[in-house]
């Protein structure tokens, strides 16, 4: 192809130049275009990075153009309403419609294949409860015996997304929406920014492995800074991040070029330097130390609720934490269970696709272990992972959750179009970018209303689902209310699929067969699975 390019480009240059000289100077326009394409082609031939461009000068560039256009063309012209990923068009449209306050009903019946394996539904009652008779703002009280400032939380709250991962205007819109709707906004591990505090919405301050906002110069936890900031009246709860579903066990790097003066001030780091977030905490080394650290955070904050967030990995490690709780008689006020399907702006595909238990499995396990060890009454559970609709909330609560987090659902309410450019700083909607040319398009005054409205209508639909089941309180929803099809002619309840555990049953050594190995490996004095343990 290179030989043909040399011949065609040379001939085209000679012909267009001759036409311009001998016929009309207007031909110089075409000559200029041919000259530019020829220079481009010669560059392609002599560069050594891209084989396709080198073998097919100029034309080879079309591959990269089409590759860039492919996701957009697929989303708008090829995918059906129910096969888009990570979120299909039906789910995205439901969020958009509720956020905008427009019609969110579906005509002509469901598009889902109700006979497909994996289809799920919720049971309805012949004697449903009238919507007007139900509590339209279901809430939970988070705070156990050691908590001095319990918090009344909505059953739907904004999940952890840091300033830096999100733009300042996106953070403002989310927090202002939380203020309007009276629900909580998790800061993410990037620290308490001015944008989180500006509008007065309730905050859950997340503390990650880098201790951003409460760290010493060498990156360790700074109790004085934490105590000072945690007592801010807008901070209602503290969350210790152990891992997140999108990339459990993976740290992060803040490049020097992204570490601005503002980011440095908020995170208490040296600006314009590379900062590493380790994959592990330096404030504790064992399950026992972790539980003591939770109590330390609670004391330093003046008795505010303290919880931790994790994606389930080694089940024995979670059991170890629970054993440490029982021995010390210290309990977190809540545990946020993040599913492996959770999202993030950037993570290696191996971590996004293959590390961490999905939400349903992790939530089932956490609820069972807490019940079996007789400590569930001390701890609330918050579920997180692809929760956008009222049915997702109902399913999580049926499995054992008390409340839910939403991250990408709230981003969709802000106007996210699932362009899948979160890791490029080129988000076209101004949500996951720091480029002022793009963030100018996101107006917090408008988007805050959409966030609040989406929350309000999702809660409304959840309450309607609750009434349809014949129940009047979310806590009465059980695994028996959710069905799942496992074959064309066989369907079972979640209770059959994920059998419940009797409270305190594991304290008497009555451990289900599927958990026996995990209990054998559990060790509250160290992490991990150790080959010397005999089972």
């Amino acid at each position: 192809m290179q030989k043909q390019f040399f011949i065609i480009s040379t001939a085209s240059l000679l012909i267009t130049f001759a036409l311009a000289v001998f016929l009309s100077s207007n031909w110089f326009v075409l000559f200029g275009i041919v000259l530019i394409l020829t220079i481009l082609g010669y560059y392609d031939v002599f560069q050594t990075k891209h084989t396709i461009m080198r073998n097919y000068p100029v034309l080879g560039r079309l591959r990269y153009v089409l590759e860039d256009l492919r996701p957009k063309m697929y989303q708008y012209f090829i995918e059906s309403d129910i096969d888009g990923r990570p979120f299909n068009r039906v789910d995205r449209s439901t969020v958009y419609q509720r956020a905008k306050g427009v019609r969110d009903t579906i005509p002509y019946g469901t598009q889902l294949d109700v006979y497909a394996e994996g289809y799920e539904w919720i049971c309805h009652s012949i004697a449903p409860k009238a919507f007007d008779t139900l509590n339209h703002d279901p809430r939970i009280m988070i705070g156990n015996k050691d908590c001095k400032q319990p918090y009344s939380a909505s059953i739907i709250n904004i999940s952890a997304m840091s300033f830096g991962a999100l733009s300042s205007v996106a953070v403002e819109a989310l927090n202002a929406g939380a203020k309007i709707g009276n629900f909580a906004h998790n800061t993410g591990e990037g620290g308490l920014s001015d944008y989180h505090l500006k509008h007065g919405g309730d905050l859950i301050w997340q503390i990650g492995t880098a201790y951003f906002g409460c760290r010493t110069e060498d990156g360790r936890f700074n109790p004085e800074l934490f105590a000072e900031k945690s007592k801010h009246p807008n901070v209602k709860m503290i969350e210790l991040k152990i891992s997140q579903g999108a990339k459990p066990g993976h740290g992060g790097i803040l490049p020097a070029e992204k570490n601005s003066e503002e980011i440095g001030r908020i995170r208490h780091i040296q600006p314009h330097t590379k900062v590493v977030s380790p994959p592990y905490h330096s404030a504790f080394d064992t399950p026992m130390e972790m539980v003591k650290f939770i109590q330390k955070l609670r004391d330093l904050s003046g008795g505010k609720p303290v919880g931790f967030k994790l994606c389930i990995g080694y089940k024995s490690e979670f059991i170890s934490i629970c054993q440490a709780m029982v021995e010390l008689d210290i309990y977190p006020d809540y545990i946020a269970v993040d599913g492996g399907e959770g999202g993030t702006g950037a993570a290696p595909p191996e971590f996004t696709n293959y590390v961490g238990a999905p939400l349903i499995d992790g939530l089932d396990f956490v609820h069972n272990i807490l019940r079996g060890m007789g400590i569930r009454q001390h701890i609330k559970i918050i579920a997180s992972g692809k929760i956008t609709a009222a049915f997702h909330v109902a399913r999580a609560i049926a499995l054992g959750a008390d409340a839910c987090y939403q991250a990408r659902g709230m981003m969709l309410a802000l106007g996210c179009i699932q362009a899948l450019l979160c890791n490029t700083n080129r988000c076209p909607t101004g949500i996951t970018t720091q480029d002022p040319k793009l963030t100018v398009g996101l107006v917090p005054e408008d988007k805050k209303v959409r966030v609040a409205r989406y929350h309000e209508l999702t809660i409304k639909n959840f309450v309607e689902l609750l009434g349809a089941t014949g129940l009047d309180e979310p806590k009465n929803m059980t695994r028996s209310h959710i069905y799942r099809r496992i074959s064309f002619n066989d369907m079972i309840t979640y209770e059959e699929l994920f059998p419940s555990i009797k409270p305190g049953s594991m304290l008497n050594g009555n451990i289900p067969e599927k958990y026996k190995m995990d209990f054998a490996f559990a060790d509250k004095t160290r992490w991990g699975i150790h080959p010397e343990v005999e089972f």
Side-chain angles (χ1 to χ4, degrees), residues 203-254:
L203 292 172
I204 301 170
W205 182 19
Q206 188 182 81
I207 309 298
T209 57
Y211 308 110
F212 288 133
C214 57
R215 57 185 269 147
T216 60
E217 288 188 7
D218 61 350
R220 294 188 170 273
F221 178 70
N222 185 324
E224 291 77 21
L225 263 178
F226 173 81
E228 175 190 338
K229 292 189 175 185
S230 63
K231 290 173 183 172
H232 192 287
N234 291 10
V235 176
K236 304 301 182 182
M237 300 200 298
I238 310 297
E239 182 171 285
L240 182 66
K241 176 189 167 185
I242 305 300
S243 59
Q244 69 181 94
K247 50 179 179 179
H250 190 275
I253 296 176
L254 179 66

Short mmCIF file of all heavy atoms in Angstrom, two decimals, residues 203-254:
data_model
loop_
_atom_site.label_atom_id
_atom_site.label_comp_id
_atom_site.label_asym_id
_atom_site.label_seq_id
_atom_site.Cartn_x
_atom_site.Cartn_y
_atom_site.Cartn_z
N LEU A 203 -23.44 15.43 55.40
CA LEU A 203 -22.27 14.78 54.82
C LEU A 203 -21.88 13.52 55.59
O LEU A 203 -21.99 13.46 56.82
CB LEU A 203 -21.07 15.75 54.82
CG LEU A 203 -21.15 16.95 53.89
CD1 LEU A 203 -19.98 17.90 54.15
CD2 LEU A 203 -21.15 16.52 52.43
N ILE A 204 -21.41 12.54 54.83
CA ILE A 204 -20.72 11.38 55.39
C ILE A 204 -19.27 11.52 54.95
O ILE A 204 -18.96 11.43 53.76
CB ILE A 204 -21.32 10.06 54.86
CG1 ILE A 204 -22.81 9.97 55.20
CG2 ILE A 204 -20.56 8.86 55.43
CD1 ILE A 204 -23.53 8.82 54.51
N TRP A 205 -18.40 11.79 55.89
CA TRP A 205 -16.99 12.04 55.55
C TRP A 205 -16.26 10.70 55.47
O TRP A 205 -16.15 9.98 56.46
CB TRP A 205 -16.34 12.94 56.59
CG TRP A 205 -14.91 13.29 56.29
CD1 TRP A 205 -14.28 13.19 55.08
CD2 TRP A 205 -13.93 13.80 57.20
NE1 TRP A 205 -12.98 13.61 55.17
CE2 TRP A 205 -12.73 13.98 56.48
CE3 TRP A 205 -13.95 14.10 58.56
CZ2 TRP A 205 -11.58 14.46 57.06
CZ3 TRP A 205 -12.79 14.59 59.14
CH2 TRP A 205 -11.62 14.76 58.40
N GLN A 206 -15.79 10.38 54.29
CA GLN A 206 -15.09 9.11 54.08
C GLN A 206 -13.59 9.29 54.26
O GLN A 206 -12.99 10.21 53.71
CB GLN A 206 -15.38 8.55 52.69
CG GLN A 206 -14.83 7.14 52.51
CD GLN A 206 -15.07 6.59 51.11
OE1 GLN A 206 -14.34 6.90 50.16
NE2 GLN A 206 -16.11 5.77 50.97
N ILE A 207 -12.99 8.38 55.03
CA ILE A 207 -11.55 8.38 55.28
C ILE A 207 -10.95 7.17 54.58
O ILE A 207 -11.29 6.03 54.90
CB ILE A 207 -11.23 8.30 56.79
CG1 ILE A 207 -12.03 9.37 57.57
CG2 ILE A 207 -9.74 8.44 57.03
CD1 ILE A 207 -11.70 10.78 57.19
N GLY A 208 -10.07 7.40 53.62
CA GLY A 208 -9.44 6.32 52.88
C GLY A 208 -8.03 6.02 53.37
O GLY A 208 -7.58 6.54 54.40
N THR A 209 -7.33 5.22 52.62
CA THR A 209 -5.99 4.77 53.04
C THR A 209 -4.96 5.88 53.03
O THR A 209 -3.94 5.78 53.71
CB THR A 209 -5.51 3.64 52.12
OG1 THR A 209 -5.52 4.11 50.76
CG2 THR A 209 -6.40 2.42 52.23
N ALA A 210 -5.20 6.95 52.27
CA ALA A 210 -4.26 8.07 52.23
C ALA A 210 -4.60 9.13 53.27
O ALA A 210 -3.86 10.11 53.42
CB ALA A 210 -4.22 8.69 50.83
N TYR A 211 -5.75 8.97 53.94
CA TYR A 211 -6.18 9.88 55.01
C TYR A 211 -6.23 11.34 54.54
O TYR A 211 -5.84 12.26 55.28
CB TYR A 211 -5.28 9.74 56.25
CG TYR A 211 -5.15 8.31 56.71
CD1 TYR A 211 -3.96 7.61 56.56
CD2 TYR A 211 -6.25 7.63 57.25
CE1 TYR A 211 -3.85 6.28 56.95
CE2 TYR A 211 -6.14 6.31 57.64
CZ TYR A 211 -4.96 5.64 57.48
OH TYR A 211 -4.86 4.31 57.87
N PHE A 212 -6.71 11.54 53.31
CA PHE A 212 -6.78 12.89 52.76
C PHE A 212 -7.63 13.79 53.64
O PHE A 212 -8.74 13.44 54.03
CB PHE A 212 -7.35 12.88 51.34
CG PHE A 212 -6.40 12.30 50.32
CD1 PHE A 212 -6.86 11.36 49.41
CD2 PHE A 212 -5.08 12.69 50.26
CE1 PHE A 212 -6.00 10.83 48.45
CE2 PHE A 212 -4.21 12.17 49.32
CZ PHE A 212 -4.68 11.23 48.41
N GLY A 213 -7.09 14.94 53.95
CA GLY A 213 -7.79 15.89 54.80
C GLY A 213 -7.50 15.73 56.27
O GLY A 213 -7.83 16.60 57.08
N CYS A 214 -6.91 14.60 56.66
CA CYS A 214 -6.58 14.38 58.09
C CYS A 214 -5.30 13.55 58.16
O CYS A 214 -5.27 12.51 58.83
CB CYS A 214 -7.74 13.70 58.82
SG CYS A 214 -8.27 12.13 58.11
N ARG A 215 -4.25 14.00 57.48
CA ARG A 215 -3.01 13.23 57.41
C ARG A 215 -1.82 14.07 57.84
O ARG A 215 -1.84 15.31 57.79
CB ARG A 215 -2.79 12.71 55.99
CG ARG A 215 -2.75 13.77 54.92
CD ARG A 215 -2.64 13.17 53.53
NE ARG A 215 -1.26 13.01 53.10
CZ ARG A 215 -0.83 12.03 52.33
NH1 ARG A 215 -1.65 11.09 51.92
NH2 ARG A 215 0.43 11.95 51.98
N THR A 216 -0.79 13.36 58.25
CA THR A 216 0.48 14.01 58.55
C THR A 216 1.24 14.21 57.25
O THR A 216 0.81 13.76 56.18
CB THR A 216 1.31 13.14 59.51
OG1 THR A 216 1.55 11.87 58.87
CG2 THR A 216 0.57 12.92 60.81
N GLU A 217 2.39 14.84 57.33
CA GLU A 217 3.17 15.09 56.13
C GLU A 217 3.65 13.80 55.47
O GLU A 217 3.85 13.75 54.27
CB GLU A 217 4.37 15.99 56.45
CG GLU A 217 3.98 17.44 56.74
CD GLU A 217 5.20 18.34 56.87
OE1 GLU A 217 6.32 17.86 56.60
OE2 GLU A 217 5.01 19.51 57.21
N ASP A 218 3.85 12.76 56.28
CA ASP A 218 4.31 11.50 55.71
C ASP A 218 3.15 10.54 55.37
O ASP A 218 3.37 9.36 55.10
CB ASP A 218 5.31 10.80 56.64
CG ASP A 218 4.70 10.46 57.99
OD1 ASP A 218 3.56 10.93 58.27
OD2 ASP A 218 5.34 9.73 58.76
N GLY A 219 1.92 11.06 55.39
CA GLY A 219 0.78 10.27 54.91
C GLY A 219 0.09 9.41 55.94
O GLY A 219 -0.73 8.56 55.59
N ARG A 220 0.37 9.63 57.21
CA ARG A 220 -0.28 8.84 58.26
C ARG A 220 -1.47 9.60 58.85
O ARG A 220 -1.63 10.80 58.63
CB ARG A 220 0.73 8.46 59.35
CG ARG A 220 1.82 7.51 58.84
CD ARG A 220 2.69 6.99 59.95
NE ARG A 220 3.57 5.92 59.44
CZ ARG A 220 3.24 4.64 59.38
NH1 ARG A 220 2.04 4.25 59.81
NH2 ARG A 220 4.07 3.75 58.91
N PHE A 221 -2.29 8.89 59.58
CA PHE A 221 -3.49 9.49 60.16
C PHE A 221 -3.11 10.54 61.19
O PHE A 221 -2.25 10.33 62.04
CB PHE A 221 -4.34 8.40 60.82
CG PHE A 221 -5.57 8.91 61.50
CD1 PHE A 221 -6.63 9.41 60.77
CD2 PHE A 221 -5.67 8.89 62.89
CE1 PHE A 221 -7.77 9.89 61.40
CE2 PHE A 221 -6.80 9.37 63.54
CZ PHE A 221 -7.85 9.87 62.78
N ASN A 222 -3.78 11.70 61.10
CA ASN A 222 -3.54 12.82 62.00
C ASN A 222 -4.77 13.01 62.88
O ASN A 222 -5.78 13.56 62.43
CB ASN A 222 -3.25 14.08 61.20
CG ASN A 222 -2.87 15.27 62.08
OD1 ASN A 222 -3.38 15.44 63.18
ND2 ASN A 222 -1.96 16.10 61.59
N PRO A 223 -4.76 12.55 64.12
CA PRO A 223 -5.96 12.62 64.97
C PRO A 223 -6.42 14.04 65.25
O PRO A 223 -7.62 14.29 65.39
CB PRO A 223 -5.54 11.90 66.25
CG PRO A 223 -4.05 11.86 66.23
CD PRO A 223 -3.64 11.88 64.80
N GLU A 224 -5.48 14.98 65.36
CA GLU A 224 -5.86 16.37 65.66
C GLU A 224 -6.65 16.99 64.51
O GLU A 224 -7.69 17.62 64.71
CB GLU A 224 -4.62 17.22 65.96
CG GLU A 224 -3.92 16.88 67.26
CD GLU A 224 -3.08 15.62 67.15
OE1 GLU A 224 -2.71 15.23 66.01
OE2 GLU A 224 -2.80 15.00 68.20
N LEU A 225 -6.14 16.79 63.28
CA LEU A 225 -6.86 17.32 62.12
C LEU A 225 -8.22 16.66 61.98
O LEU A 225 -9.22 17.31 61.65
CB LEU A 225 -6.03 17.08 60.84
CG LEU A 225 -5.15 18.23 60.33
CD1 LEU A 225 -4.39 17.78 59.10
CD2 LEU A 225 -6.01 19.45 60.01
N PHE A 226 -8.25 15.34 62.20
CA PHE A 226 -9.52 14.63 62.07
C PHE A 226 -10.53 15.14 63.08
O PHE A 226 -11.70 15.38 62.75
CB PHE A 226 -9.31 13.12 62.27
CG PHE A 226 -10.60 12.36 62.32
CD1 PHE A 226 -11.27 12.01 61.16
CD2 PHE A 226 -11.17 12.00 63.55
CE1 PHE A 226 -12.48 11.33 61.21
CE2 PHE A 226 -12.37 11.31 63.61
CZ PHE A 226 -13.03 10.98 62.42
N ALA A 227 -10.10 15.30 64.31
CA ALA A 227 -11.01 15.77 65.36
C ALA A 227 -11.58 17.14 65.03
O ALA A 227 -12.77 17.41 65.21
CB ALA A 227 -10.28 15.81 66.70
N GLU A 228 -10.72 18.00 64.51
CA GLU A 228 -11.15 19.37 64.16
C GLU A 228 -12.21 19.34 63.06
O GLU A 228 -13.26 19.99 63.16
CB GLU A 228 -9.93 20.16 63.70
CG GLU A 228 -10.26 21.56 63.20
CD GLU A 228 -9.06 22.23 62.52
OE1 GLU A 228 -7.91 21.82 62.78
OE2 GLU A 228 -9.30 23.15 61.72
N LYS A 229 -11.95 18.58 61.99
CA LYS A 229 -12.86 18.61 60.84
C LYS A 229 -14.12 17.78 61.07
O LYS A 229 -15.20 18.12 60.57
CB LYS A 229 -12.12 18.10 59.59
CG LYS A 229 -11.03 19.03 59.12
CD LYS A 229 -10.51 18.59 57.77
CE LYS A 229 -9.50 19.59 57.24
NZ LYS A 229 -9.06 19.25 55.87
N SER A 230 -13.99 16.68 61.80
CA SER A 230 -15.14 15.80 61.98
C SER A 230 -16.23 16.43 62.82
O SER A 230 -17.38 15.99 62.78
CB SER A 230 -14.70 14.48 62.62
OG SER A 230 -14.17 14.71 63.92
N LYS A 231 -15.88 17.46 63.58
CA LYS A 231 -16.87 18.11 64.43
C LYS A 231 -17.65 19.21 63.70
O LYS A 231 -18.49 19.88 64.30
CB LYS A 231 -16.19 18.67 65.68
CG LYS A 231 -15.74 17.55 66.62
CD LYS A 231 -14.91 18.05 67.79
CE LYS A 231 -14.45 16.86 68.64
NZ LYS A 231 -13.49 17.23 69.67
N HIS A 232 -17.37 19.37 62.40
CA HIS A 232 -18.16 20.33 61.62
C HIS A 232 -19.62 19.90 61.65
O HIS A 232 -19.94 18.72 61.50
CB HIS A 232 -17.65 20.36 60.17
CG HIS A 232 -18.20 21.50 59.37
ND1 HIS A 232 -19.51 21.55 58.94
CD2 HIS A 232 -17.62 22.65 58.93
CE1 HIS A 232 -19.71 22.66 58.26
NE2 HIS A 232 -18.57 23.36 58.25
N PRO A 233 -20.54 20.83 61.86
CA PRO A 233 -21.97 20.45 62.00
C PRO A 233 -22.55 19.75 60.77
O PRO A 233 -23.53 19.00 60.90
CB PRO A 233 -22.67 21.79 62.27
CG PRO A 233 -21.69 22.85 61.84
CD PRO A 233 -20.34 22.27 62.06
N ASN A 234 -21.99 19.99 59.58
CA ASN A 234 -22.51 19.34 58.38
C ASN A 234 -22.11 17.86 58.31
O ASN A 234 -22.74 17.08 57.61
CB ASN A 234 -22.01 20.04 57.12
CG ASN A 234 -22.62 21.41 56.93
OD1 ASN A 234 -23.27 21.92 57.84
ND2 ASN A 234 -22.41 22.02 55.78
N VAL A 235 -21.04 17.50 59.00
CA VAL A 235 -20.58 16.11 59.00
C VAL A 235 -21.42 15.31 59.98
O VAL A 235 -21.32 15.49 61.19
CB VAL A 235 -19.08 16.02 59.36
CG1 VAL A 235 -18.64 14.56 59.44
CG2 VAL A 235 -18.23 16.76 58.34
N LYS A 236 -22.24 14.43 59.45
CA LYS A 236 -23.16 13.66 60.29
C LYS A 236 -22.63 12.27 60.64
O LYS A 236 -22.98 11.72 61.67
CB LYS A 236 -24.52 13.52 59.58
CG LYS A 236 -25.16 14.84 59.19
CD LYS A 236 -25.40 15.73 60.39
CE LYS A 236 -26.10 17.04 59.99
NZ LYS A 236 -26.30 17.94 61.14
N MET A 237 -21.81 11.70 59.73
CA MET A 237 -21.26 10.37 59.98
C MET A 237 -19.85 10.29 59.40
O MET A 237 -19.47 11.09 58.55
CB MET A 237 -22.13 9.28 59.34
CG MET A 237 -23.56 9.23 59.85
SD MET A 237 -24.38 7.63 59.56
CE MET A 237 -24.38 7.54 57.77
N ILE A 238 -19.10 9.30 59.88
CA ILE A 238 -17.74 9.05 59.41
C ILE A 238 -17.71 7.66 58.79
O ILE A 238 -18.29 6.72 59.35
CB ILE A 238 -16.71 9.10 60.56
CG1 ILE A 238 -16.88 10.38 61.39
CG2 ILE A 238 -15.29 8.96 60.02
CD1 ILE A 238 -16.65 11.66 60.65
N GLU A 239 -17.04 7.53 57.65
CA GLU A 239 -16.94 6.23 57.00
C GLU A 239 -15.48 5.89 56.73
O GLU A 239 -14.76 6.65 56.06
CB GLU A 239 -17.72 6.22 55.69
CG GLU A 239 -17.70 4.88 54.97
CD GLU A 239 -18.67 4.86 53.80
OE1 GLU A 239 -19.90 4.76 54.05
OE2 GLU A 239 -18.22 4.96 52.63
N LEU A 240 -15.03 4.77 57.26
CA LEU A 240 -13.68 4.28 57.02
C LEU A 240 -13.72 3.38 55.79
O LEU A 240 -14.37 2.33 55.80
CB LEU A 240 -13.20 3.49 58.25
CG LEU A 240 -11.78 2.93 58.20
CD1 LEU A 240 -10.75 4.04 58.18
CD2 LEU A 240 -11.55 2.00 59.39
N LYS A 241 -13.03 3.78 54.74
CA LYS A 241 -13.04 2.99 53.51
C LYS A 241 -11.96 1.92 53.57
O LYS A 241 -10.78 2.22 53.62
CB LYS A 241 -12.80 3.89 52.29
CG LYS A 241 -12.71 3.11 50.99
CD LYS A 241 -12.24 3.97 49.84
CE LYS A 241 -11.86 3.13 48.65
NZ LYS A 241 -11.29 3.90 47.55
N ILE A 242 -12.40 0.66 53.57
CA ILE A 242 -11.47 -0.47 53.53
C ILE A 242 -11.21 -0.86 52.08
O ILE A 242 -10.07 -1.09 51.67
CB ILE A 242 -12.04 -1.67 54.31
CG1 ILE A 242 -12.40 -1.25 55.74
CG2 ILE A 242 -11.05 -2.83 54.31
CD1 ILE A 242 -11.25 -0.72 56.54
N SER A 243 -12.26 -0.94 51.29
CA SER A 243 -12.13 -1.23 49.86
C SER A 243 -13.38 -0.78 49.14
O SER A 243 -14.41 -0.52 49.76
CB SER A 243 -11.90 -2.73 49.63
OG SER A 243 -12.98 -3.49 50.14
N GLN A 244 -13.30 -0.66 47.82
CA GLN A 244 -14.46 -0.31 47.02
C GLN A 244 -14.66 -1.35 45.93
O GLN A 244 -13.72 -1.98 45.46
CB GLN A 244 -14.30 1.09 46.40
CG GLN A 244 -13.25 1.20 45.32
CD GLN A 244 -13.13 2.61 44.76
OE1 GLN A 244 -12.30 3.39 45.21
NE2 GLN A 244 -13.95 2.93 43.78
N GLY A 245 -15.91 -1.53 45.53
CA GLY A 245 -16.25 -2.60 44.61
C GLY A 245 -15.58 -2.53 43.26
O GLY A 245 -15.29 -3.56 42.65
N ALA A 246 -15.33 -1.32 42.77
CA ALA A 246 -14.78 -1.19 41.42
C ALA A 246 -13.32 -1.62 41.34
O ALA A 246 -12.86 -2.05 40.29
CB ALA A 246 -14.92 0.25 40.94
N LYS A 247 -12.59 -1.49 42.43
CA LYS A 247 -11.17 -1.86 42.42
C LYS A 247 -10.69 -2.24 43.82
O LYS A 247 -9.80 -1.61 44.37
CB LYS A 247 -10.30 -0.75 41.84
CG LYS A 247 -10.55 0.64 42.43
CD LYS A 247 -9.61 1.67 41.81
CE LYS A 247 -9.88 3.05 42.39
NZ LYS A 247 -8.98 4.07 41.83
N PRO A 248 -11.30 -3.27 44.42
CA PRO A 248 -10.87 -3.67 45.77
C PRO A 248 -9.44 -4.15 45.79
O PRO A 248 -8.98 -4.84 44.87
CB PRO A 248 -11.84 -4.81 46.11
CG PRO A 248 -12.34 -5.32 44.81
CD PRO A 248 -12.34 -4.15 43.89
N GLY A 249 -8.71 -3.76 46.83
CA GLY A 249 -7.31 -4.18 46.94
C GLY A 249 -6.37 -3.39 46.06
O GLY A 249 -5.20 -3.74 45.94
N HIS A 250 -6.85 -2.29 45.48
CA HIS A 250 -6.02 -1.50 44.56
C HIS A 250 -5.89 -0.08 45.09
O HIS A 250 -6.88 0.55 45.45
CB HIS A 250 -6.65 -1.48 43.17
CG HIS A 250 -5.77 -0.91 42.11
ND1 HIS A 250 -5.69 0.43 41.85
CD2 HIS A 250 -4.93 -1.50 41.22
CE1 HIS A 250 -4.84 0.64 40.85
NE2 HIS A 250 -4.37 -0.52 40.46
N GLY A 251 -4.70 0.42 45.15
CA GLY A 251 -4.48 1.80 45.57
C GLY A 251 -4.68 2.75 44.41
O GLY A 251 -5.34 2.44 43.42
N GLY A 252 -4.09 3.91 44.51
CA GLY A 252 -4.22 4.90 43.44
C GLY A 252 -3.07 5.88 43.45
O GLY A 252 -2.32 5.97 44.43
N ILE A 253 -2.95 6.61 42.35
CA ILE A 253 -1.90 7.62 42.23
C ILE A 253 -2.53 8.93 41.76
O ILE A 253 -3.28 8.94 40.78
CB ILE A 253 -0.80 7.19 41.24
CG1 ILE A 253 -0.07 5.95 41.76
CG2 ILE A 253 0.19 8.33 41.01
CD1 ILE A 253 0.97 5.40 40.80
N LEU A 254 -2.27 10.00 42.48
CA LEU A 254 -2.67 11.33 42.04
C LEU A 254 -1.48 11.95 41.34
O LEU A 254 -0.47 12.29 41.98
CB LEU A 254 -3.09 12.20 43.23
CG LEU A 254 -3.51 13.63 42.91
CD1 LEU A 254 -4.79 13.65 42.08
CD2 LEU A 254 -3.69 14.44 44.18
#
